[in-house]
Amino acid sequence: MLGKLMKYEWKNTWKAGMLMLLGIFIVTVAGCIVLQMPGGVVSNLVDGNEANAAQTWLVISSFTATLILYVIMLLASTWGMLIFLGIRFYRSMYTDEGYLSHTLPVTANQLFLSKVLVSGVWYLFIMIGIGISIVALLVSLMMGLMDISELSGVLTQYNGNVWEFLGDGIYELNRVYEEQMGMNLLHYGITLLLTYVAGPFITMITLFGALTIGQLSSKHKGLIGILAYAGLTILSSIIGSTVQSVFMFSTNIVSSAGGTGITTNWAYDINVLTSALVAAIMYGVSYYIMNRKLNLD
Amino acid sequence: MNNLVEIVNLTKKYGSNVAVNNLTVSLPKGKIIGLLGPNGSGKTTLIKMLNGLLTPTEGTIMIDGNYVGPATKSKVAYLPDRTYLTMNQTIREILDYFQDFYADFSRERAEEMLKSLGIDPSVKMRTLSKGTKEKVQLILVMSRDASLYILDEPIAGVDPAARDYILRTIINNYNPEATVLISTHLIEDVEQVLDEVIFMRYGQLVLYTSVDNIREEKGKSVDAYFREVFAC
């Protein structure tokens, strides 16, 4: 039954998800075109070389417009998708449509999980889309600023072996991170990847759990659900930041006392674990409410 | 045991307000039962608890030997007093949905009924009139071979011709081994099809008897007797 539930959840969300991804794609392409202005206009400006007034105006206005549009698009796609998925969950579970959802011969766990999985996947796609978009824009910007012959010169030292060049770069970066920040870059990378992949699912569990908590109220259930989500997000951040700060502070003391262990990584891990713990609690709470406290108006 | 539904000491409270109060009743198999009572008597609350949409404050419900859950939901066909279908879906998509989730759903029967009413399955729900939406919902519910059909106000808000159609649909399509529980205010229209009636007031059982009993012992129709019992 979980597969069937997911199939219909997918059918009901794919159009909105594709629309958001299309929006990100269009803004990214527009951004890349603007940031790769021909004729060395950008580099001239950055280097402080003379450029005529028309060129300067064109570059500054294009950059500003691109940046504004880009930020708006990022916010619209992340928040837009979050709001869409939240409304979709609420409507299908706790309004008239909930009368059908909750009378299907499925368990509360299957119902909740199907929504978390499909919504989480869509949110992950949006995050990946944004990640690719940022990388594409940065590459475009660098290509606008950089003299390609310089890069070719560097690569010549490596006989054109890009992988060796990248390997040396990462090794150097890792050394700097370890010496100056007490961090292992590989460990940090894994933490970051986990956050990136698990984050959307954690967000969905927290959001859907908060909306489910709102059902415990006799009035303004939707509003209380939204407030519960805001409260939980803030609480989770405060707990994560506090634990992280305490951990980093104690790490500094250990380091100054001659300790050599790379413990800064753990501070970031704890932040991720805090969010995961909040999500696990919310999953349990949602399951309990749907099984033992469901009261559809 | 010939009972399909066993309700024991069932209570539902909303704060200090008691919607269903210590109700104990058993419903047999193979009967059409009218659930009757004035507004606020607890009919819809009881129906929602039977369908797992409300959690009882106290007491238990068993349907065909199971507590309310996925097992009972696969045997109960429920028509709520509102439109619960997604408005941006076509009727055909909704048929697919029912076919996927309910093993006892007969698509052929549903398509036949839609055809007899001249309803095009390719249209979206939002384009239909209120009466047609109600008919579509009824068709979906009555196209199942369920053990228990629970119909909450199935003929409210539709014209007399549509009422006749709805009642005919119920009579012609329900599984004779199954029980049909119909909640309604329009007693005169439905009493012709009822075998038994339950009268409820203030969340409590006032009367549970057969329609023949009311006619023979009281010498009245169910509608007339209801008016007498619940006279203001």
Side-chain angles (χ1 to χ4, degrees), chain A residues 1-8 114, chain B residues 101:
Chain A
M1 283 294 184
L2 180 65
K4 287 178 185 175
L5 286 167
M6 286 176 70
K7 181 179 89 174
Y8 284 99
S114 68
Chain B
F101 285 104

Side-chain angles (χ1 to χ4, degrees), chain A residues 1 4-5 7-8 12 96-100 102-107 291-297, chain B residues 12 48 51-55 70 73-74 78 80 82-86 89 96-98 100-102:
Chain A
M1 283 294 184
K4 287 178 185 175
L5 286 167
K7 181 179 89 174
Y8 284 99
N12 284 309
D96 288 353
E97 287 178 29
Y99 278 64
L100 183 56
H102 289 285
T103 49
L104 292 174
V106 298
T107 62
N291 263 314
R292 302 284 174 88
K293 295 283 176 189
L294 184 67
N295 286 306
L296 285 194
D297 287 331
Chain B
K12 179 65 189 177
K48 282 161 81 171
N51 284 290
L53 299 175
L54 283 179
T55 311
K73 288 171 185 177
S74 65
Y78 170 49
R82 61 193 72 199
T83 309
Y84 66 173
L85 301 172
T86 311
Q89 281 186 319
D96 293 340
Y97 190 84
F98 269 67
D100 261 352
F101 285 104
Y102 297 109

